[in-house]
C-alpha cells in the first residue's frame, strides 16, 4: 500500500477562509430558475412559488452567497422588466440561451428567495448591451433607502426596506467571442472604471468584481487581466476566474488531475494582478472571485466519444479552438429553441465527478488568502449539486464534497504540505496521488482534514500531530464506490452516499494514521478530548 504524509504546523497559517468561497450561482438558464428554485402550483412549493424541497437542501449546504442572474444571460438583461406587477412584465427573447424569458421570477423574487435560503445575493450588472448609468440605477433600486426615483419605485413595488446587496459583478466573461457585447480589455477596463466610480457614489460600501478571463486556456489569458486592471485597478476589489473541466481523454487519472490546472490558474492570476499593482506602486491587493467552477462535459456534447474528446483537447491550443472542435458534430437530439426553460446542461454526475469537485474545493481552500469568493455553477439542475423533477428532488454525487467543505471548511486554513507518490497525467504531468488541506475550526478545539485519494488502490496517510496533544479522531467520513461511474437518480437518490467508518483513522502517540480507500473523498475530524 502506498504511503503519503501531511506536514503541518498550527502556527503556520494560510489565512481565514472567507465563507463566501462556498457560494453558488443561479442563472436564468435552462431549468435553474423555472422548475428549479421556482415552480408555482407544485405541492412542494410555497405561497410564492418557491420550491421548499430545494430550499431545504440549500440551507443544508449552508450556501453563504449566490450569484445572480447570470452568466451569459446578464449581457442582454433588462432589470426593469423583472420588477413590478407580474402581469405587466414583458416577455423577452433571451439571445444568450435562445430561450423565452417571461420575467415572472425577477429581482425582488430572488431577494425573497435569498432570505428564505439563508444566503446573500451577489448581483451582476449588464455591461454587454448597457452601461454605467443602468448599473447605477439598479444599485439605487436595490440599496438606496428612499427618497429617489428608483428607491421609491422599489417601495411602490411593495419592498420598503433596501436589499443591501454588497457584492456586484461588472458584466460576465466580456473577453469571450460568445458574449453579447464582447469587448477589448482596455475598452472593458475603462467601462469598469467609469461604472465602479458611479456606483460607489450611490453606495460606497459595495464590493466590485471585474471580469477576468473566461478560462485559463483562453488565448488572451494574462494579457486580458493586465489590460483590464491597468484601467480599473484602484476601482475594483476582485477579478473573476471561470473554469469548467471534463473527462477529455477518457482516463480517470487525467480527469481527477484537473484541480492541478485550477491551481495553476489561481497562482498565475495572482501573479498578473500583483504585477499590475507593482507597476502602479499600489499597496492594494486585488483578490480573486472564482465565481464559476465545476465539472461540465456529460450533457454538452452527447455525440462525442472519449477518443474524440482526447483528440479535440490534446490538439487544441486554446479554449476557443477546443470549443470549435467540440461543437463540430451536432448533438444526437437537437433541443427546441425559443422555449421557456429548455433542458440545458443537465449533467448527471458520477462518483468520479464528486472526486474531481472535492479536489477543486481543496484547491480553493489552499488559496484562502486570495480567493475570497467562489461560486459552484450552478445550484439547481444546470451543472448542479441539486436536481429536481415534478416528483421530487435529489442530491447529486457532487453535493457531498460541497456539503463537507461548506460545513467543515470554515475556520483557519493551515499551510498543509502533502508528500505523496505521483502518477503521470498526459495532460497535466506528474500529479500527487493524495491531496489534502487542514482547517482549524473557529472554536479552536477541532481540526478537520479534507483528503482526496486519486489512486486506484488504498493509500495510508500519516501526519505528525503531537502539537495537538490529547486530541482524538472523532469522525472519519468516506465517499467512495466500487463503480466510479455510479450516479444518483430521482428513483434511486441514495445510490452514492458518504459513510462514517470506524477504525480506518487512528491517532496514537500524536501520530495520525488513516487508510484512504481507492478513489475516495475523506473528511477526518480530530477533536480535543474531554477532560
Amino acid at each position: 500500500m502506498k504511503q503519503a504524509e501531511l506536514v503541518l504546523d498550527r502556527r503556520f497559517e494560510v489565512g481565514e477562509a472567507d465563507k463566501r468561497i462556498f457560494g453558488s450561482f443561479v442563472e436564468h438558464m435552462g431549468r435553474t430558475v423555472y422548475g428549479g428554485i421556482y415552480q408555482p402550483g407544485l405541492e412542494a412549493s410555497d405561497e410564492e412559488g418557491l420550491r421548499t424541497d430545494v430550499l431545504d437542501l440549500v440551507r443544508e449546504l449552508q450556501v453563504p452567497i449566490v450569484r445572480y442572474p447570470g452568466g451569459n444571460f446578464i449581457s442582454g438583461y433588462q432589470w426593469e422588466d423583472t420588477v413590478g406587477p407580474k402581469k405587466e412584465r414583458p416577455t423577452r427573447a433571451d439571445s444568450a440561451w435562445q430561450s423565452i424569458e417571461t420575467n415572472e421570477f425577477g429581482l425582488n423574487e430572488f431577494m425573497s428567495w435569498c432570505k428564505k435560503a439563508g444566503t446573500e445575493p451577489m448581483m451582476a450588472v449588464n455591461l454587454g448591451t448597457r452601461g454605467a448609468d443602468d448599473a447605477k440605477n439598479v444599485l439605487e433600486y436595490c440599496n438606496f433607502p428612499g427618497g429617489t426615483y428608483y428607491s421609491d419605485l422599489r417601495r411602490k413595488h411593495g419592498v420598503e426596506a433596501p436589499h443591501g446587496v454588497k457584492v456586484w459583478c461588472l458584466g460576465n466573461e466580456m473577453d469571450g467571442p460568445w458574449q453579447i457585447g464582447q469587448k477589448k480589455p482596455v475598452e472593458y477596463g475603462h467601462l469598469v472604471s467609469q461604472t465602479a466610480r458611479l456606483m460607489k457614489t450611490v453606495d460606497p460600501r459595495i464590493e466590485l468584481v471585474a471580469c477576468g478571463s473566461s478560462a485559463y486556456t483562453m488565448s488572451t489569458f494574462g494579457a486580458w487581466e493586465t489590460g483590464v486592471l491597468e484601467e480599473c485597478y484602484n476601482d475594483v476589489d476582485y477579478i473573476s476566474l471561470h473554469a469548467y473541466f471534463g473527462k477529455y481523454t477518457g482516463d480517470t487519472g487525467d480527469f481527477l488531475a484537473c484541480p492541478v490546472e485550477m491551481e495553476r490558474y489561481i497562482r498565475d492570476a495572482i501573479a498578473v494582478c500583483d504585477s499590475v499593482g507593482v507597476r502602479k506602486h499600489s499597496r492594494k491587493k486585488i483578490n480573486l472571485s472564482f465565481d464559476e467552477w465545476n465539472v461540465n462535459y456529460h450533457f454538452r456534447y452527447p455525440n462525442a466519444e472519449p477518443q474524440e474528446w482526447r483528440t479535440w483537447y490534446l490538439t487544441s491550443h486554446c479554449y476557443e479552438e477546443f470549443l470549435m472542435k467540440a461543437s463540430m458534430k451536432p448533438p444526437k437530439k437537437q433541443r427546441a429553441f425559443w422555449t421557456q426553460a429548455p433542458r440545458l446542461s443537465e449533467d448527471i454526475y458520477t462518483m468520479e465527478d464528486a472526486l474531481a469537485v472535492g479536489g477543486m474545493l481543496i484547491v480553493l481552500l489552499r488559496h484562502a488568502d486570495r480567493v475570497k469568493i467562489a461560486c459552484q455553477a450552478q445550484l439547481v439542475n444546470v451543472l448542479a449539486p441539486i436536481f429536481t423533477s415534478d416528483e421530487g428532488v435529489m442530491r447529486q454525487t457532487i453535493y457531498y464534497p460541497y456539503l463537507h467543505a461548506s460545513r467543515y471548511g470554515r475556520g483557519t486554513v493551515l499551510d498543509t504540505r502533502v508528500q505523496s507518490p505521483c502518477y503521470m497525467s498526459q495532460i497535466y504531468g506528474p500529479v500527487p496521488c493524495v491531496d489534502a488541506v487542514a482547517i482549524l475550526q473557529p472554536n479552536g478545539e477541532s481540526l478537520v482534514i479534507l483528503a482526496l485519494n486519486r489512486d486506484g488502490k488504498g493509500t495510508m496517510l500519516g501526519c505528525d500531530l503531537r502539537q495537538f496533544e490529547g486530541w482524538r479522531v472523532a469522525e472519519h467520513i468516506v465517499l467512495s464506490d466500487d463503480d466510479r461511474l455510479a450516479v444518483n437518480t430521482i428513483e434511486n437518490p441514495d445510490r452514492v452516499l458518504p459513510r462514517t467508518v470506524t477504525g480506518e483513522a487512528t491517532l496514537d502517540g500524536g501520530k495520525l494514521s488513516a487508510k484512504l480507500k481507492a478513489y475516495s473523498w475523506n473528511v477526518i475530524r480530530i477533536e480535543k478530548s474531554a477532560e
Side-chain angles (χ1 to χ4, degrees):
M1 185 175 289
K2 293 178 180 177
Q3 301 283 330
E5 188 78 17
L6 296 189
V7 181
L8 59 87
D9 188 308
R10 66 185 304 170
R11 296 165 296 182
F12 294 166
E13 303 173 354
V14 173
E16 291 297 311
D18 192 316
K19 67 179 182 179
R20 296 177 298 178
I21 67 174
F22 308 114
S24 192
F25 179 32
V26 165
E27 179 174 7
H28 283 254
M29 174 187 177
R31 294 195 310 124
T32 301
V33 173
Y34 303 106
I37 66 174
Y38 175 78
Q39 195 169 356
L42 201 68
E43 186 178 351
S45 297
D46 66 13
E47 68 284 353
E48 293 184 83
L50 305 177
R51 288 192 61 147
T52 58
D53 51 358
V54 172
L55 282 169
D56 288 342
L57 295 191
V58 175
R59 286 190 289 260
E60 183 179 69
L61 284 171
Q62 301 176 38
V63 180
I65 194 167
V66 176
R67 182 169 168 246
Y68 177 85
N72 293 347
F73 178 79
I74 191 62
S75 290
Y77 180 62
Q78 300 182 62
W79 69 270
E80 303 94 332
D81 292 347
T82 78
V83 296
K86 291 187 179 185
K87 63 182 180 180
E88 297 178 10
R89 298 179 191 177
T91 295
R92 300 284 189 187
D94 168 34
S95 296
W97 300 114
Q98 295 177 287
S99 306
I100 296 299
E101 175 54 61
T102 65
N103 290 305
E104 181 182 350
F105 185 94
L107 189 154
N108 290 322
E109 285 80 18
F110 175 69
M111 298 299 171
S112 178
W113 179 87
C114 284
K115 290 178 182 176
K116 291 184 177 183
T119 190
E120 294 294 326
M122 178 180 178
M123 283 293 294
V125 298
N126 178 358
L127 293 188
T129 60
R130 308 184 92 175
D133 192 53
D134 176 65
K136 187 267 295 181
N137 293 343
V138 67
L139 173 63
E140 181 184 315
Y141 183 93
C142 287
N143 284 17
F144 213 78
T148 66
Y149 176 79
Y150 286 107
S151 62
D152 285 346
L153 183 64
R154 182 196 70 242
R155 296 167 70 186
K156 180 181 177 181
H157 292 158
V159 184
E160 185 67 28
H163 295 305
V165 180
K166 184 177 182 181
V167 184
W168 294 79
C169 300
L170 303 178
N172 175 75
E173 295 183 355
M174 300 307 299
D175 61 326
W178 56 85
Q179 197 68 215
I180 301 170
Q182 178 196 14
K183 292 176 172 56
K184 300 295 184 182
V186 173
E187 174 192 15
Y188 170 69
H190 182 63
L191 177 58
V192 164
S193 179
Q194 291 179 317
T195 304
R197 294 179 188 186
L198 186 57
M199 290 179 75
K200 287 189 175 181
T201 64
V202 175
D203 188 346
R205 301 165 298 177
I206 59 174
E207 296 179 280
L208 299 176
V209 184
C211 293
S213 292
S214 302
Y216 186 42
T217 48
M218 290 291 287
S219 58
T220 53
F221 171 68
W224 170 268
E225 283 78 6
T226 299
V228 169
L229 290 175
E230 287 286 358
E231 298 294 321
C232 66
Y233 190 91
N234 292 317
D235 303 311
V236 299
D237 305 285
Y238 308 93
I239 198 158
S240 70
L241 295 80
H242 291 179
Y244 294 98
F245 297 97
K247 197 174 179 182
Y248 304 123
T249 67
D251 179 76
T252 296
D254 282 338
F255 176 50
L256 297 184
C258 63
V260 170
E261 181 169 301
M262 188 186 205
E263 187 143 33
R264 292 171 183 168
Y265 190 9
I266 290 172
R267 288 174 174 168
D268 288 353
I270 291 170
V272 173
C273 292
D274 289 351
S275 70
V276 176
V278 168
R279 288 197 300 279
K280 289 184 171 292
H281 304 282
S282 175
R283 294 183 179 180
K284 176 181 179 178
K285 294 289 185 185
I286 297 291
N287 287 318
L288 306 185
S289 174
F290 214 129
D291 47 45
E292 285 188 36
W293 67 270
N294 209 341
V295 170
N296 174 18
Y297 68 100
H298 297 285
F299 191 93
R300 194 172 205 169
Y301 310 114
N303 222 32
E305 300 299 329
Q307 185 58 36
E308 291 177 295
W309 278 105
R310 170 189 170 86
T311 302
W312 293 337
Y313 193 80
L314 295 182
T315 59
S316 297
H317 301 289
C318 63
Y319 188 60
E320 302 96 312
E321 184 180 346
F322 170 66
L323 287 180
M324 181 186 72
K325 290 179 179 179
S327 301
M328 284 179 180
K329 292 184 69 176
K332 294 175 182 176
K333 184 179 180 181
Q334 291 282 1
R335 75 172 177 89
F337 290 92
W338 304 115
T339 60
Q340 185 187 20
R343 288 184 176 270
L344 293 176
S345 298
E346 295 193 6
D347 283 11
I348 301 300
Y349 287 112
T350 67
M351 179 63 224
E352 277 184 346
D353 299 330
L355 298 178
V357 164
M360 294 180 217
L361 287 160
I362 288 172
V363 168
L364 292 172
L365 282 164
R366 186 154 51 232
H367 293 278
D369 56 331
R370 296 297 292 272
V371 179
K372 299 299 181 181
I373 301 172
C375 304
Q376 189 188 60
Q378 293 187 24
L379 184 59
V380 186
N381 290 331
V382 177
L383 309 175
I386 300 170
F387 194 85
T388 70
S389 74
D390 291 349
E391 288 71 44
V393 65
M394 72 161 180
R395 302 167 180 85
Q396 293 228 59
T397 60
I398 65 171
Y399 182 95
Y400 296 107
Y402 184 177
L403 172 68
H404 297 149
S406 179
R407 181 175 293 174
Y408 299 116
R410 306 183 187 211
T412 304
V413 181
L414 301 183
D415 186 358
T416 313
R417 304 301 174 97
V418 184
Q419 297 176 346
S420 168
C422 292
Y423 66 91
M424 187 59 64
S425 163
Q426 58 186 317
I427 299 177
Y428 306 109
V431 176
C433 294
V434 173
D435 199 9
V437 67
I439 307 99
L440 189 62
Q441 303 296 281
N443 61 11
E445 297 184 353
S446 179
L447 178 74
V448 172
I449 296 171
L450 304 177
L452 168 66
N453 185 18
R454 299 184 177 106
D455 193 66
K457 297 181 180 179
T459 302
M460 290 302 300
L461 178 66
C463 186
D464 187 340
L465 294 176
R466 284 177 291 178
Q467 58 191 297
F468 296 92
E469 185 178 354
W471 291 38
R472 63 180 181 86
V473 174
E475 189 176 28
H476 182 188
I477 303 170
V478 179
L479 182 66
S480 66
D481 197 287
D482 292 338
D483 180 2
R484 299 195 301 279
L485 301 183
V487 300
N488 291 335
T489 63
I490 293 289
E491 296 74 24
N492 187 9
D494 297 332
R495 170 66 180 83
V496 179
L497 280 177
R499 291 176 171 80
T500 299
V501 299
T502 57
E504 300 291 291
T506 60
L507 187 56
D508 187 17
K511 299 293 184 70
L512 174 69
S513 180
K515 182 179 180 181
L516 309 183
K517 292 188 67 174
Y519 295 125
S520 65
W521 164 259
N522 299 264
V523 181
I524 303 170
R525 193 163 57 85
I526 300 160
E527 286 186 348
K528 184 182 289 187
S529 300
E531 296 295 338

